[in-house]
Amino acid sequence: MSARRDLWFTLLCAAALALPLGVLVFLFGDVLLLGLERLSPAFLTSYPSRHAEHAGVLPGLVGTALLGVMTAGLALPFGVGAAIYLEEYGGNRRIARAIEVNVANLAGVPSVVYGILGLAVFVKTLGLGRSLIAGAATLALLVLPIVIVSTREALRAVPMGLREAGLALGATRWQTIRRVVLPAAAPGILTGAILAISRALGETAPLIVIGAVAYITYLPDGPRAAFTALPIQIFSWVSRPQAAFAHNAAAGIVVMLLLLLLLNAAAVLVRDRFSRGGSR
Amino acid sequence: MIAAPAPRAPPTTTAADATTPVKLAVRALDAGFGATPVVRQLTLDVPERRVLAIIGPSGCGKSTLVRCLNRMHELVPGATVGGSVLLDDHDIYARDVDPVLLRRRIGMVFQKPNPFPTMSIRENVLAGLRLTGALRGGRKQPAIDGIVEQALTRAALWDEVKDRLAAAGGSLSGGQQQRLCIARALAVEPEVLLMDEPCSALDPIATARIEDLIHVLRERYTIVLVTHNMQQAARASDLTAFLLHGELIECAPTERLFTQPSDRRTEDYITGKFG
Amino acid sequence: MVPSELVLGVHGRALRAAPVRERLVELALLACAGVSVVTTVGIVLVLAGESVAFFREVGLRAFLFDTQWTPLFSSPRYGIWPLIAGTALTSGIAMLVAVPLGLLAAVFLAELAPDGARRVLKPLLEVLAGVPTLVYGAFALLVVTPALQRVVPGLAGFNALSPGLVMGVMILPLVASLSDDALRAVPMPQREGAWALGAGRVPTILRVVLPAARSGIVAAGTLALGRAVGETMIVAIAAGQEPRLTLDPRVPIETMTAFIVQVSLGDVAAGTLASRTIFVVGAALFVLTLVLNLLARRAVKTAPGGGS
Ligand SMILES: Nc1ncnc2c1ncn2[C@@H]1O[C@H](COP(=O)(O)OP(=O)(O)O)[C@@H](O)[C@H]1O
Ligand SMILES: [Mg+2]
């Protein structure tokens, strides 16, 4: 009798887990079906258009790629530097603890609020306008806590013994960090960084708030250029009432998900390929 | 090695035979973590080019003591140190001594072999020099190769690895890894070598090789060997110090300490009554 | 006196530990860490500055006691409650989905699933958590709403129900994953104690494991609520743009986040009162999510094995 009850309970719990996974499968299948109609090489190489059949994601794709590179360029040095400070120098200093709490709280701030910050600081106060660099800077702040947390985890996974070995050889703290700790933590740091960037690239709200425009018929020619991004283009298509644009939105989503999938696969690859050396 | 600096205090205490100068002199050393004292008022001499074994039950402060000798102890948050340690009569805890530079004169080998996983065997040997920037510019390839060969030879590892210097340090067996760590420490050309239970992670054959190696290294280096293994102390050391609850109970020539200990507690420990 | 060998090293090698450079590096790294503090300060200053300017014109009283939010109309009203109601409604629906299902899923992962299944399922949940919310929003509008309209009479094209349900699925992995951690932190002897008394597997989970993991589960729920409150794209796409003080899930509403998007998409002249509204709403959102995060962290601190 109790065995039967156990079985039912187990099935209930499994069903609770199966539901979201089922939704995931259904969602992907549905999007793929809907988007298949529009997916073609031309879709990747065309500009937006008033005619759904002719519209493409080229400027969004380019914008997203540029945003990714620039966001990484901004977020990684600061994020990794901050993580090194907190993990290797901070100890139980009060300032390090305060920064830690701050980072934890920043991680919970809604992304749309970062958009407001970017609008006020980068777009207006610093006069960068509604530009690529303003977008990248906003996204960099958004993912900074993620980079810091994942880098700290990677640093923590480096055995204490390696640091001691470096110091006992007469290396300074920084020499040890740079030549021993960072190389050992590099795969973990890189994996975390890729995941953070893929998180940034799926963000829509902050870019809307800082004023990325959907309808752009040229490619950005520098960091100060106006820009669009994949999620912005998808959002503009979703918002159109005409059914034809739903196909564009779905096709755009397929492209975006493929891009994110590639990034995630790269992250997993980095982790697996180098983890043998790093875990010793 | 280089000529030693001229004047030396006459060897003072307990253990050193009268002819050997004192390399390291521990004077009234206190060490602890936060408010907890671990090493108390410890005074001890390590004669030059001799092997001093430190024995004592687990947790008695052996590691803490040796880590005070190259100022690694103070890297632990909350660690406290008092008293002094003289290296060639100079207090290594004097205010203007740079602990980083000190550690290049006093090398250390740890309990668990810890070769750098991202470096080859060759790079592991050179790590100390590279980390500190000592190899930057200047030295020619043959000179560097010479350093690698010499350090590996002294660590009795050269013949086993000379054909695969580019292999990862982690690809070696545990005993080889520990000898690689010894080679890495020797490449910096220290004068003193601290070894904290270097064989506790190794099998008996690898242990025997390290003990043989210690015999040879003794001709060039002053060695402090922490061990929980009394046979090892008896086999490999000239002098043995017995530590209990952070205090030095007895320090004597190894043979005498094991045959006619002068303290009751030492006797109880070496006869296996506790520990 | 400086013992010369300790400064110069041995064998005439000129060795310097470069303490100045060490110090500079540490300062540079500290500066990197300071960026996060500057970010927080920036957020607070920006939101507070514009909010103060807003309240000077509108007054706190209208903001807190008016029941309508129509800042873009010709005769604007500035009562925040309709937006808060919209946020509460969608978040509430999401929590109704995410908490029970997430908890059951966590029980399955932590207590019932064989290890092999767990190793496959947990990464799958992470995939689910990594899907951009824009995708969920499109899904809610284009798929879920039309499907629901067939079973829920009177369901409008924009409503709170569909994005609420989808948001529930979106935050479910978060609840499941954090609760899973909390359940795993319960020490094995507590379960063994119950088994030794003859308690079955399920009663042990319900009476021993879940209560022991309570604070961790509360933290998971609180964090998830913070996520739901701050979630933007799902509601901006599928819930509508009609601030309305209602608890009816079938009609169009507007959340705080969706309002910020709406204003950002329109052409509102800078420096006008209307342009300030996004900062005020942003400030309310910031305070709300901050409080939720602080509560969650407090709950974690009291958890067994938490606070480390
Ligand atoms: N990092 C530390 N913080 C606090 N106490 C420590 C730390 N490391 C060691 N101790 C304590 O100091 C005492 C001596 O430790 P240790 O020197 O490692 O002993 P041994 O090497 O003889 O086994 C032990 O009681 C141990 O618990
Ligand atoms: Mg020890």
Side-chain angles (χ1 to χ4, degrees):
Chain A
M1 193 215 98
S2 115
R4 262 184 76 162
R5 198 184 44 191
D6 281 11
L7 183 65
W8 279 113
F9 186 71
T10 305
L11 284 178
L12 180 70
C13 292
L17 188 62
L19 177 92
L21 296 177
V23 169
L24 182 73
V25 171
F26 184 68
L27 194 161
F28 285 174
D30 203 66
V31 160
L32 200 60
L33 275 183
L34 204 62
L36 222 45
E37 194 163 313
R38 202 65 88 225
L39 273 176
S40 68
F43 184 70
L44 296 179
T45 56
S46 303
Y47 290 95
S49 161
R50 271 179 296 127
H51 308 284
E53 321 76 72
H54 300 309
V57 288
L58 180 64
L61 208 51
V62 172
T64 287
L66 291 173
L67 276 178
V69 172
M70 292 164 71
T71 303
L74 290 168
L76 293 196
F78 287 109
V80 173
I84 294 175
Y85 180 79
L86 294 176
E87 203 58 36
E88 307 287 336
Y89 291 86
N92 32 23
R93 282 184 219 175
R94 199 173 292 171
I95 181 164
R97 297 262 295 281
I99 293 174
E100 242 170 74
V101 172
N102 179 59
V103 169
N105 284 329
L106 273 183
V109 173
S111 63
V112 72
V113 173
Y114 283 95
I116 296 177
L117 176 71
L119 174 69
V121 173
F122 300 125
V123 175
K124 302 222 170 113
T125 308
L126 296 182
L128 297 176
R130 321 198 138 194
S131 60
L132 256 181
I133 184 72
T138 305
L139 292 182
L141 291 185
L142 173 70
V143 296
L144 197 62
I146 306 175
V147 175
I148 293 176
V149 168
S150 66
T151 303
R152 289 190 69 180
E153 259 162 40
L155 291 173
R156 217 171 299 148
V158 176
M160 217 46 210
L162 293 183
R163 292 180 184 82
E164 299 212 311
L167 294 170
L169 286 171
T172 62
R173 196 185 274 257
W174 174 240
Q175 285 166 338
T176 305
I177 292 169
R178 198 165 70 107
R179 305 286 184 98
V180 176
V181 180
L182 284 181
I189 294 175
L190 196 57
T191 301
I194 296 173
L195 293 179
I197 295 307
S198 83
R199 157 87 198 276
L201 296 186
E203 280 293 341
T204 317
L207 296 183
I208 293 176
V209 176
I210 68 156
V213 262
Y215 200 88
I216 276 195
T217 53
Y218 53 88
L219 297 182
D221 55 0
R224 300 293 299 270
F227 71 103
T228 189
L230 263 183
I232 295 288
Q233 282 202 286
I234 295 166
F235 174 67
S236 84
W237 283 326
V238 171
S239 319
R240 301 274 192 110
Q242 303 94 320
F245 281 102
H247 293 290
N248 293 43
I253 287 173
V254 171
V255 173
M256 181 168 73
L257 289 179
L258 278 179
L259 188 74
L260 298 185
L261 195 68
L262 278 179
L263 280 174
N264 279 269
V268 171
L269 210 66
V270 168
R271 185 160 54 193
D272 288 355
R273 156 115 351 149
F274 296 102
S275 63
R276 250 170 292 125
S279 64
R280 259 180 196 278
Chain B
M1 298 289 289
I2 199 108
R8 273 186 201 291
T12 40
T13 42
T14 52
D17 44 299
T19 53
T20 328
V22 173
K23 185 70 183 176
L24 267 179
V26 182
R27 292 287 172 266
L29 186 75
D30 282 309
F33 299 95
T36 321
V38 171
V39 171
R40 291 171 234 222
Q41 286 295 311
L42 194 139
T43 293
L44 180 71
D45 283 346
V46 188
E48 185 159 32
R49 297 184 204 193
R50 293 285 182 275
V51 179
L52 169 75
I54 298 178
I55 60 170
S58 168
C60 70
K62 305 182 296 291
S63 296
T64 307
L65 168 60
V66 289
R67 289 166 60 92
C68 287
L69 303 184
N70 66 345
R71 295 190 61 176
M72 291 288 285
H73 176 62
E74 67 204 45
L75 295 172
V76 179
T80 59
V81 204
S84 54
V85 175
L86 310 177
L87 173 66
D88 291 337
D89 297 331
H90 298 305
D91 186 0
I92 65 170
Y93 283 97
R95 274 189 58 218
D96 30 22
V97 169
D98 183 341
V100 170
L101 298 179
L102 170 79
R103 291 183 201 125
R104 294 177 202 173
R105 292 183 64 188
I106 304 185
M108 188 166 200
V109 176
F110 296 83
Q111 189 163 350
K112 204 169 151 238
N114 54 1
F116 298 128
T118 54
M119 299 182 194
S120 65
I121 294 173
R122 180 190 150 87
E123 287 306 309
N124 259 289
V125 175
L126 293 173
L129 301 174
R130 286 225 200 280
L131 285 172
T132 58
L135 283 189
R136 216 174 290 140
R139 297 218 204 179
K140 301 243 162 7
Q141 194 60 33
I144 296 177
D145 290 342
I147 293 173
V148 174
E149 177 169 352
Q150 188 187 43
L152 284 170
T153 306
R154 286 186 182 170
L157 189 59
W158 174 250
D159 289 334
E160 290 161 59
V161 301
K162 63 173 183 248
D163 299 323
R164 47 171 177 151
L165 293 175
S171 67
L172 300 173
S173 73
Q176 289 174 324
Q177 285 189 21
Q178 194 61 302
R179 275 179 283 146
L180 177 59
C181 292
I182 294 174
R184 181 176 68 185
L186 296 183
V188 188
E189 306 207 28
E191 296 150 54
V192 179
L193 202 54
L194 310 174
M195 305 176 103
D196 189 354
E197 306 200 23
C199 303
S200 66
L202 305 183
D203 61 62
I205 295 172
T207 299
R209 298 212 54 169
I210 303 263
E211 285 176 15
D212 291 345
L213 176 58
I214 290 172
H215 263 296
V216 181
L217 291 175
R218 173 183 178 275
E219 286 165 22
R220 291 174 181 280
Y221 307 95
T222 304
I223 296 175
V224 178
L225 170 70
V226 173
T227 175
H228 59 245
N229 177 338
M230 278 176 280
Q231 282 74 38
Q232 179 167 74
R235 286 189 300 258
S237 71
D238 302 296
L239 301 159
T240 298
F242 172 57
L243 233 64
L244 192 59
H245 303 313
E247 283 175 51
L248 179 67
I249 303 302
E250 184 169 356
C251 180
T254 298
E255 208 179 301
R256 197 169 82 212
L257 186 124
F258 281 105
T259 50
Q260 4 169 278
S262 58
D263 191 291
R264 187 58 199 259
R265 290 165 291 181
T266 315
E267 191 179 337
D268 287 350
Y269 182 68
I270 61 180
T271 55
K273 293 224 172 86
F274 70 93
Chain C
M1 196 198 75
V2 187
S4 62
E5 296 146 84
L6 291 179
V7 177
L8 289 177
V10 281
H11 313 300
R13 252 189 266 142
L15 296 175
R16 292 236 152 241
V20 176
R21 205 185 59 183
E22 287 289 310
R23 192 82 198 119
L24 284 179
V25 167
E26 187 178 342
L27 281 177
L29 295 172
L30 175 60
C32 289
V35 170
S36 78
V37 178
V38 173
T39 305
T40 305
V41 172
I43 290 175
V44 170
L45 284 185
V46 164
L47 294 180
E50 295 279 335
S51 296
V52 166
F54 172 87
F55 285 123
R56 219 171 265 143
E57 271 181 71
V58 173
L60 202 55
R61 177 166 251 258
F63 186 70
L64 289 182
F65 295 108
D66 198 331
T67 56
Q68 287 194 41
W69 178 263
T70 57
L72 307 179
F73 285 14
S74 52
S75 59
R77 306 271 295 271
Y78 299 100
I80 186 72
W81 289 108
L83 292 184
I84 290 186
T87 293
L89 188 57
T90 50
S91 306
I93 295 170
M95 294 298 282
L96 284 179
V97 175
V99 170
L101 291 181
L103 199 50
L104 287 175
V107 167
F108 183 74
L109 284 173
E111 305 288 325
L112 301 169
D115 247 20
R118 202 186 123 77
R119 237 168 304 168
V120 180
L121 291 172
K122 219 159 172 191
L124 271 180
L125 275 185
E126 273 167 37
V127 172
L128 205 60
V131 175
T133 60
L134 167 71
V135 177
Y136 284 108
F139 185 62
L141 180 71
L142 302 176
V143 181
V144 177
T145 297
L148 284 175
Q149 277 172 325
R150 271 184 241 135
V151 286
V152 180
L155 189 68
F158 294 106
N159 58 72
L161 182 61
S162 160
L165 292 176
V166 172
M167 200 150 82
V169 173
M170 192 257 320
I171 56 176
L172 197 158
L174 181 71
V175 177
S177 174
L178 292 175
S179 303
D180 175 53
D181 295 343
L183 293 174
R184 289 179 160 262
V186 176
M188 207 54 200
Q190 294 198 19
R191 295 181 187 84
E192 284 161 352
W195 294 337
L197 291 173
R201 225 181 150 86
V202 173
T204 303
I205 292 170
L206 296 180
R207 302 253 167 77
V208 177
V209 182
L210 284 176
R214 195 182 53 216
S215 46
I217 293 168
V218 169
T222 315
L223 275 181
L225 181 58
R227 183 73 65 83
V229 167
E231 169 47 36
T232 307
M233 293 320 293
I234 300 178
V235 284
I237 291 173
Q241 304 185 335
E242 297 176 33
R244 201 192 298 252
L245 196 54
T246 177
L247 288 178
D248 183 350
R250 296 170 306 165
V251 296
I253 47 112
E254 184 164 49
T255 65
M256 294 192 272
T257 51
F259 173 76
I260 295 171
V261 167
Q262 184 196 354
V263 173
S264 302
L265 287 171
D267 276 321
V268 178
T272 61
L273 195 56
S275 79
R276 294 218 160 98
T277 53
I278 67 167
F279 293 91
V280 177
V281 175
L285 194 59
F286 177 72
V287 171
L288 203 57
T289 50
L290 185 68
V291 167
L292 287 172
N293 279 300
L294 292 176
L295 286 178
R297 272 155 43 82
R298 171 166 298 187
V300 169
K301 275 210 190 100
T302 61
S308 51

